[in-house]
């Protein structure tokens, strides 16, 4: 008895040690790149919005449509050591840590998934977080979505009303994190789906036992559960909208959100039809090309193994009067040989996938992860769909399977990034899929139908091969990839020594030179804290370039909008903002915003003399830049510069600075 108790104590201690190490890794791993790489787009853009949150320096549409994310971000800027890019990366990186750790405990405690499987799933999920953590409107959305899934699961399976209320609060709050999170209310569908499952189970029991229906029906419980969820949802909306009404006025909020709906006139990729088409197309395209080919390999394997089993059965019947022991030995050897052969086929499949460009090892691009990620999403939904309709699944497994499908589908709605957001949010889906795959590999046996054997080994082998590829590619991608202007950073060997915000950040030497020289100029001229207009032009396909991050890196609040090239920021809104800026300039003679442009916006302009700007000789327009005479926003800025006599006062290889004459 004592030895048995000691063994149990040892196992428990080992489990605690393992879990502590796992949680520690999941907490620290998301912080691995907080001092690595410099992004001129989203990272500094969002941090500037956090620091200068409010209508003075932010576009009302963006302020209101991501209000709660901006509010949380602004709070982070007030914390110790938040006055640097590295410090802010640390604080926002903790949101990924929270996702991984909460996902770990939810999967191991509530879903009863093995710790090591959950750890691998969460490690892969962290590694696939390609999106900068500065985009809190994404990561705060994922945190509340994960919390909602956990509360719904516990509330429905344990009949805890407060959990259902909390799930509604999470969904309601998410509308203020990012207004396009409205479709997440569809998660409440899980309440009714669970009600259907319970109703079917109760009906089956009544038929077997011939019991009469009692007063507590599945539909009545479902209705009450729905009311609890809706009450939490409406409570969150009422509290948050009440605060906004007191501080800003609901009319201003409605006007800002109204512009959000109107922006689809310019940014057509934000139309609901475009976003849904982009999602569906990616799923269908990847399934029809890669998925069908992999399924074909599996089907061939099943037929091949079935033929081998048929031949063995046929040979066994023919040799009934011979030495059966030798026959059995030969059958074992043949089956082993066939399995080894199939392992070779799976290896060949992986080589073929790499050779055909399914994924690659260029780790500063999305090539290593996107196609494996999309196929993993399809695998996840396929497995979840099977488990929902499988007779052997209990109602809890059906519930979490349905929730996983909803999370995978809903996460990408409201974004023009196709399926990238869903790949960025696998904190429930990855452990679930690995767990169900593990159960399939361990538990499913061959199936006999008449004289035909349906062998499971080809399915298991190919599934394991793909999951191994997925995990390896995910970890490799996560180890090296850091977002920078829609691709990954390279050659991070230099630092900027004369800028406190960028202290300790490693980057490309060329970028370090750009930022060092302009930081020195801003410091020498005493421009820190001055309002700024930033512009970098448009690409020929209409997509924006941009240098919005300079507002944060150089501590220059935006005069009206930090990233005015965005299609979501309309020309009419920019005209109105510039008219308001002119009024302020007329009232305050000392107020003259600084203008910073990317050099290619002006160095190719003809005729230069008409602008009164001191720039280099005109050169051919670069192929990736939209002709400037077709860029209406750029024309607005040039007209403003001409009107107030702006002159170029600084220029390096990347940026040019213009100041009002006599400033």
């Amino acid at each position: 008895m004592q030895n048995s108790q000691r063994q149990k104590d040892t196992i428990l201690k080992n489990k605690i040690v393992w879990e502590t190490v796992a949680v520690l890794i999941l907490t620290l791993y998301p912080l691995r790149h907080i001092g690595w790489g410099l992004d001129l787009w989203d990272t500094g853009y969002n941090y500037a919005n956090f620091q200068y949150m409010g209508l003075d320096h932010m576009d009302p549409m963006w302020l209101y449509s991501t209000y709660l994310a901006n509010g949380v971000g602004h709070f982070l800027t007030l914390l110790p050591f938040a006055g640097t890019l590295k410090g802010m990366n640390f604080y926002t990186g903790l949101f990924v840590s929270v996702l991984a750790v909460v996902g770990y405990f939810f999967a191991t405690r509530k879903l009863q998934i093995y710790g090591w499987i959950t750890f691998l799933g969460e490690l892969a999920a962290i590694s696939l977080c390609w999106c900068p953590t500065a985009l809190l409107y994404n990561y705060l959305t994922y945190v509340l979505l994960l919390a909602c899934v956990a509360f719904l699961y516990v509330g429905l399976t344990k009949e805890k009303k407060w959990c259902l209320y909390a799930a509604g609060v999470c969904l309601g709050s998410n509308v203020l994190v990012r207004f396009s999170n409205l479709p997440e209310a569809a998660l409440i569908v899980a309440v009714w789906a669970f009600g259907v499952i319970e109703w079917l189970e109760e009906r089956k029991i009544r038929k077997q036992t011939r019991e009469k229906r009692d007063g507590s029906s599945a539909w009545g419980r479902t209705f009450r559960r729905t009311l609890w969820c809706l009450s939490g949802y409406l409570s969150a909306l009422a509290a948050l909208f009440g605060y906004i009404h007191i501080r800003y006025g609901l009319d201003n909020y409605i006007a800002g959100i109204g512009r959000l709906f109107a922006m689809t006139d310019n940014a057509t990729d934000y139309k609901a039809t475009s976003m849904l088409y982009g999602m569906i197309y990616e799923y269908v395209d990847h399934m029809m090309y890669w998925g069908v080919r992999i399924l074909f390999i599996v089907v061939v394997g099943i037929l091949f193994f079935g033929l081998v089993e048929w031949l063995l059965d046929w040979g066994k019947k023919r040799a009934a009067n011979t030495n059966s022991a030798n026959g059995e030995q030969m059958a074992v050897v043949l089956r082993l040989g066939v399995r080894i052969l199939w392992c070779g086929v799976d290896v060949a499949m992986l080589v073929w996938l790499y050779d055909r460009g399914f994924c690659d090892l260029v780790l500063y691009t999305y090539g290593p992860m996107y196609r494996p990620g999309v196929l993993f999403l399809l695998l996840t939904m396929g497995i979840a769909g099977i488990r929902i309709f499988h007779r052997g699944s209990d109602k809890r497994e059906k519930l979490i399977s349905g929730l996983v499908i909803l999370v995978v589908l809903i996460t990408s709605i409201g974004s023009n990034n196709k399926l990238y957001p869903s790949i960025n949010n696998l904190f429930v889906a990855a452990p679930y899929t690995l767990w169900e795959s593990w159960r399939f590999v361990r538990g499913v046996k061959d199936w006999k139908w008449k004289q035909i054997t349906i062998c499971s080994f080809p399915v298991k082998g190919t599934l394991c091969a793909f999951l191994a590829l997925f995990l390896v590619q995910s970890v490799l991608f996560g180890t090296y990839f850091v977002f920078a202007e829609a691709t990954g950073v390279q050659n991070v060997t230099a630092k900027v020594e004369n800028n406190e915000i960028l202290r300790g950040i490693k980057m490309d030497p060329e970028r370090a030179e750009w930022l060092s020289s302009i930081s020195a100029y801003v410091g020498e001229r005493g421009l820190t804290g001055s309002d700024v207009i930033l512009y970098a032009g448009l690409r020929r396909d209409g997509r924006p370039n941009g240098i919005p991050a300079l507002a944060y890196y150089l501590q220059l609040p935006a005069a009206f909008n930090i990233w005015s090239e965005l299609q979501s920021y309309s020309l009419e809104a920019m005209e109105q903002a510039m008219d308001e800026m002119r009024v302020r300039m007329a009232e305050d003679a000392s107020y003259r915003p600084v203008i910073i442009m990317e050099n290619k916006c002006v160095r190719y302009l003809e005729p230069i003399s008409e602008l009164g700007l001191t720039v280099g000789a005109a050169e051919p327009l670069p192929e990736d830049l939209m002709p400037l005479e077709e860029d209406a926003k750029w024309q607005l800025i040039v007209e403003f510069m001409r009107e107030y006599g702006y002159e170029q006062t600084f220029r390096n290889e990347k940026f040019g600075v213009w100041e009002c004459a006599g400033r």
Side-chain angles (χ1 to χ4, degrees), residues 433-451:
T433 304
L434 294 179
W435 170 242
E436 293 290 1
S437 299
W438 169 261
R439 292 177 62 199
F440 172 78
V441 171
R442 289 291 300 271
V444 174
K445 306 298 182 182
D446 295 347
W447 182 49
K448 197 82 171 179
W449 181 66
K450 295 183 179 181
Q451 301 300 317

Side-chain angles (χ1 to χ4, degrees), residues 331-384:
V332 170
V333 172
L334 182 59
R335 287 190 178 99
L336 178 61
V338 169
R339 280 160 172 74
I340 294 174
L341 175 64
W342 189 254
C343 290
V345 171
D346 286 328
V347 172
M349 181 193 72
L350 296 182
V351 173
W352 172 77
L353 288 173
Y354 279 104
D355 181 64
R356 292 300 299 270
F358 176 75
C359 55
D360 56 46
L361 297 175
V362 184
L363 300 175
Y364 58 85
T365 70
Y366 301 104
M369 55 76 80
Y370 185 64
R371 290 192 179 102
V374 174
L375 218 57
F376 186 82
L377 295 177
L378 287 166
L379 176 66
T380 296
M381 291 189 289
I383 289 174

Side-chain angles (χ1 to χ4, degrees), residues 217-519:
S217 69
W219 298 119
R221 290 195 303 273
T222 299
F223 182 73
R224 290 190 293 272
R225 292 165 179 167
T226 304
L227 289 180
W228 278 105
C229 288
L230 286 176
S231 62
Y233 188 85
L234 295 175
S235 296
L237 289 180
L240 292 168
F241 281 135
Y243 172 78
I244 288 176
H245 175 62
I246 293 171
R247 181 162 186 180
Y248 301 102
L250 272 183
D251 53 340
N252 290 327
Y253 178 84
I254 293 172
I257 296 300
R259 277 186 48 211
L260 185 68
F261 287 99
M263 79 175 183
T264 55
D265 295 337
N266 301 312
T268 56
D269 53 341
Y270 276 100
K271 287 184 176 180
T273 52
S274 297
M275 290 186 289
L276 289 174
Y277 173 78
M279 290 172 52
I280 294 171
Y281 175 81
E282 289 296 296
Y283 279 128
V284 173
D285 181 57
H286 283 76
M287 185 62 203
M288 293 303 293
Y289 189 85
W290 301 107
V292 166
R293 283 160 173 76
I294 293 174
L295 286 175
F296 176 76
I297 294 172
V298 172
V299 170
V300 169
I302 292 174
L303 294 175
F304 175 67
F305 273 74
L307 177 61
V308 170
E309 291 296 327
W310 181 83
L311 289 173
L312 287 173
D313 289 342
W314 178 79
K316 186 177 181 181
K317 291 177 182 178
R318 291 291 301 271
N321 298 324
T322 61
N323 191 328
S324 60
N326 291 336
E328 289 295 331
Q329 290 178 355
M330 289 180 62
V332 170
V333 172
L334 182 59
R335 287 190 178 99
L336 178 61
V338 169
R339 280 160 172 74
I340 294 174
L341 175 64
W342 189 254
C343 290
V345 171
D346 286 328
V347 172
M349 181 193 72
L350 296 182
V351 173
W352 172 77
L353 288 173
Y354 279 104
D355 181 64
R356 292 300 299 270
F358 176 75
C359 55
D360 56 46
L361 297 175
V362 184
L363 300 175
Y364 58 85
T365 70
Y366 301 104
M369 55 76 80
Y370 185 64
R371 290 192 179 102
V374 174
L375 218 57
F376 186 82
L377 295 177
L378 287 166
L379 176 66
T380 296
M381 291 189 289
I383 289 174
I386 291 171
R387 299 312 300 173
I388 288 173
F389 295 102
H390 194 276
R391 292 183 178 181
S393 302
D394 61 23
K395 62 183 181 181
R396 292 173 298 179
E397 186 177 4
K398 293 178 187 291
L399 173 62
I400 191 60
S401 298
L403 287 171
V404 166
I405 291 176
L406 285 172
V407 170
V408 168
L409 292 176
I410 287 173
T411 299
S412 289
I413 295 177
S415 170
N416 63 343
N417 288 325
K418 298 179 181 178
L419 300 179
Y420 282 94
S422 293
I423 296 173
N424 208 123
N425 184 26
L426 293 176
F427 295 93
V428 176
Y432 168 86
T433 304
L434 294 179
W435 170 242
E436 293 290 1
S437 299
W438 169 261
R439 292 177 62 199
F440 172 78
V441 171
R442 289 291 300 271
V444 174
K445 306 298 182 182
D446 295 347
W447 182 49
K448 197 82 171 179
W449 181 66
K450 295 183 179 181
Q451 301 300 317
I452 301 174
T453 300
I454 309 298
C455 193
S456 62
F457 188 85
V459 184
K460 294 177 180 178
T462 306
L463 175 64
C464 290
F466 170 73
L467 290 177
L469 178 145
F470 170 77
L471 290 172
V472 169
Q473 290 294 119
S474 298
V475 173
L476 287 175
F477 175 81
T479 302
Y480 292 97
F481 184 88
V482 177
F483 182 93
E485 295 99 68
T487 184
V489 301
Q490 301 180 63
N491 193 24
V492 284
T493 58
K495 295 181 180 180
V496 176
E497 303 294 347
N498 60 344
N499 186 313
E500 281 298 306
I501 298 294
L502 301 178
R503 185 178 59 198
I505 300 294
K506 293 182 179 179
M507 66 191 78
D508 177 85
E510 186 178 35
R511 290 180 181 236
E513 176 59 32
W514 297 342
L515 269 296
S516 294
S517 60
I518 196 171
S519 296

